[in-house]
Amino acid sequence: MTRTVSRNVFLRIAIAALFLMSPISFLHPGIQAGYPDDSLEKILASTESLFKAMREKNYPAIWAGLSVESRKVIMEEAGKAIEKSTGEKVPDEELLRDFLEGGPVAEGYWTGFLKNFDPVIVLEKSRWEKGRMEENRAEILLTYKASDKPAVLKLFREDGAWKVGLVETFWGR
């Protein structure tokens, strides 16, 4: 089994687990207890923005909300898929520009991703709770329905902004 197939299988399992997991009782005031600065507020805003961008199919906004590592892996996967199907290598600069602008590669990638991942589940049907928080790393626990186990969404502070680690959360290692 290739690494890509393993990742795809793991992604599907992780997404299925998220779907099987508890109703958005969006963050009650107690979630911010113990955090005097606005870090948690910024983390939550970044997370919500990413999933809203997915719901709206705003591909440039999705890209902007992702961690550096997630962008890197997604570009590598897209580049390999294009090369495999066409026999031609797309320069990294072209791939990056396409994802930044929401071009045809980005549209194809996110359309495929969103066939397997419904952001409405996260936005409207999951409970959000704070997980571990560090200076440059954070976790949001997303629980769907009456599940006992949440999905642990990883976020990273990069260049002063919180970014969602989609790959770091859902892709297999």
Side-chain angles (χ1 to χ4, degrees), residues 12-13 29 38 69 71-72 82 104 115 121 125 156:
R12 287 192 178 120
I13 291 169
D38 61 351
E69 179 66 16
R71 291 180 196 175
K72 176 184 165 215
I82 292 168
K115 282 183 182 177
I121 299 275
K125 299 178 182 179
F156 304 89

Side-chain angles (χ1 to χ4, degrees), residues 73-126:
V73 170
I74 289 168
M75 277 183 45
E76 287 172 0
E77 289 178 348
K80 287 177 186 175
I82 292 168
E83 187 172 5
K84 184 176 180 181
S85 68
T86 66
E88 295 180 28
K89 180 166 176 37
V90 178
D92 289 344
E93 301 78 29
E94 278 186 49
L95 281 174
L96 177 58
R97 184 174 52 253
D98 189 275
F99 276 104
L100 284 168
E101 296 172 357
V105 174
E107 183 177 354
Y109 185 90
W110 293 117
T111 297
F113 180 84
L114 293 170
K115 282 183 182 177
N116 296 303
F117 183 86
D118 183 0
V120 172
I121 299 275
V122 175
L123 288 167
E124 299 176 12
K125 299 178 182 179
S126 296

Side-chain angles (χ1 to χ4, degrees), residues 2 9 16 18 47 51 70 74 77 118 133 135 157:
T2 67
V9 169
L18 177 65
T47 304
F51 291 115
S70 289
I74 289 168
E77 289 178 348
D118 183 0
M133 288 188 61
E135 185 177 341
R157 188 187 325 243

Side-chain angles (χ1 to χ4, degrees), residues 36-48:
D37 65 7
D38 61 351
S39 290
L40 184 59
E41 190 174 300
K42 288 179 180 179
I43 290 165
L44 297 174
S46 295
T47 304
E48 185 177 23

Side-chain angles (χ1 to χ4, degrees), residues 13 17 30 35 55 57 61 98 113 126 130 143 148 157 165 167:
I13 291 169
Y35 294 96
R55 181 184 61 200
K57 297 183 171 127
D98 189 275
F113 180 84
S126 296
K130 71 175 169 63
T143 309
D148 294 330
R157 188 187 325 243
V167 167

